[in-house]
Amino acid sequence: MSSANAPPAPSVIRMSQSITPRHGPPAAPLPQRKTAAQGPRVLKEVRKHRSFASLRAITALILREVQTSNGRASGGYFWAVAEPAGGIMLLTLIFSVTFALPPIGTSFAMFYATGMVPFLGYMDISNKVASSVRYSMALLSYPAVTFMDALLARIAFNAITQVMVATVIFTAIMMTSETRTDPQMDLIAIGLAMMILTGAAIGVMNCFLFEAVSWWQPLWAIFMKPFFLLSCIFFMFDDVPQPYQDWLWWNPLIHVIGQMRRSFYPQYAGEYVSYTYVFGLGLGLLALGLALLVRYHRDLQNS
């Protein structure tokens, strides 16, 4: 057999097959390296923060407070206002029968309410704010909820509740009895602001101390027992003899109650009331408590 008619070698067949183009879509081009003319690569932001994230968290925590405050009882949030208001009105009625005439005015119910409402309002706000981080400990594990959200939610919820309690009590007393008072709304608003700030400041400070110092909470409970008598709820600060009057002046509740009483009794001067002392002390304690919580709140949560 001649060499011209001999079959092609297998290597030649494979080479020819690789050279012969195949039918079908063209292959995708290989990625090319960017040249300097194309400029630097720009990274795009993938995750965006939600708008008003803190406000959403605070609103959700306030709704949680509404749900947990007598949420299962018939009437719901109504009892959060009616319970303290009814208790103060009942005590007011009892003391009105026991005592004939108050030191100022003609209605012992109004005199007692002007002292009892700011005192119990302060106690409720300070106690609720002091336990706000412990109350929301499970929710603080989520990145969207911070300890500041828990504090602001409790301050806002309990402040609104206490303002409603004060409105119900004072309105009911003025509608059912002759008080001979002249309420000044601007002075009442200042008195409520002093009450809220004092309660929030003490609460924020105790929020840190209750978690950091194990023995401080029972000691604070003992310390607050005599304040019911040392805050001039049943008597006037002006009637306290010296040197006890100078000692009692450092109690901020003396100024809060004095401001509330001169808001209803125009003839009562209440010259000892100091806005500078109450607001200065409140803002100072609030700033100190927040600074300590910012520094140590993660250690307190993990302890």
Side-chain angles (χ1 to χ4, degrees):
M1 184 179 295
S2 62
S3 61
N5 297 328
S11 61
V12 177
I13 295 176
R14 288 194 298 267
M15 184 179 299
S16 63
Q17 289 177 353
S18 62
I19 297 175
T20 303
R22 296 182 178 179
H23 297 285
L30 295 176
Q32 301 295 325
R33 180 177 298 176
K34 291 187 177 181
T35 61
Q38 292 177 322
R41 186 177 180 183
V42 179
L43 297 178
K44 295 183 179 180
E45 184 180 1
V46 177
R47 186 174 67 90
K48 295 183 179 180
H49 296 285
R50 295 186 306 167
S51 301
F52 308 105
S54 182
L55 182 60
R56 292 169 182 264
I58 293 173
T59 304
L61 290 172
I62 291 176
L63 294 177
R64 176 171 173 256
E65 291 278 349
V66 175
Q67 180 66 27
T68 55
S69 298
N70 304 102
R72 297 182 179 180
S74 178
Y77 178 70
F78 167 78
W79 292 109
V81 178
E83 182 178 355
I88 294 176
M89 293 179 67
L90 181 61
L91 290 174
T92 301
L93 179 62
I94 295 174
F95 284 107
S96 299
V97 176
T98 306
F99 297 92
L101 291 176
I104 56 174
T106 59
S107 172
F108 185 85
M110 180 59 74
F111 174 80
Y112 177 73
T114 53
M116 200 65 180
V117 168
F119 178 81
L120 291 184
Y122 152 80
M123 290 291 294
D124 183 77
I125 293 175
S126 63
N127 291 336
K128 294 293 181 59
V129 174
S131 61
S132 57
V133 172
R134 184 181 304 175
Y135 179 76
S136 302
M137 186 68 71
L139 296 177
L140 295 180
S141 59
Y142 295 95
V145 182
T146 65
F147 78 93
M148 187 67 72
D149 299 333
L151 287 175
L152 292 177
R154 280 225 147 176
I155 291 173
F157 173 78
N158 291 283
I160 294 173
T161 300
Q162 293 305 316
V163 170
M164 295 177 64
V165 168
T167 303
V168 170
I169 292 174
F170 291 135
T171 303
I173 293 175
M174 294 188 67
M175 292 180 61
T176 55
S177 62
E178 179 61 34
T179 60
R180 296 184 182 180
T181 56
D182 184 17
Q184 304 295 318
M185 300 307 299
D186 54 341
L187 298 180
I188 294 175
I190 295 175
L192 292 175
M194 294 167 67
M195 175 195 73
I196 293 171
L197 177 60
T198 304
I202 297 296
V204 170
M205 195 66 201
N206 282 335
C207 185
F208 168 76
L209 292 175
F210 285 174
E211 299 296 330
V213 185
S214 59
W215 48 264
W216 176 250
Q217 186 169 3
L219 182 63
W220 179 259
I222 297 173
F223 180 71
M224 288 303 296
K225 294 297 183 183
F227 266 70
F228 184 80
L229 298 176
L230 298 178
S231 298
C232 297
I233 297 176
F234 299 99
F235 52 91
M236 302 297 298
F237 175 78
D238 309 83
D239 299 333
V240 178
Q242 292 289 358
Y244 308 108
Q245 189 178 88
D246 292 339
W247 299 348
L248 287 180
W249 187 91
W250 296 102
N251 178 6
L253 296 178
I254 293 288
H255 303 263
V256 177
I257 294 175
Q259 172 66 22
M260 190 64 68
R261 281 181 173 156
R262 71 179 185 178
S263 302
F264 284 87
Y265 301 97
Q267 70 274 17
Y268 181 61
E271 297 177 353
Y272 60 90
V273 176
S274 175
Y275 296 159
T276 304
Y277 173 66
V278 175
F279 285 107
L281 179 65
L283 293 175
L285 289 177
L286 189 63
L288 179 60
L290 289 177
L292 291 172
L293 286 173
V294 169
R295 175 63 179 83
Y296 297 105
H297 74 279
R298 294 195 181 278
D299 297 334
L300 297 177
Q301 292 178 25
N302 298 327
S303 60

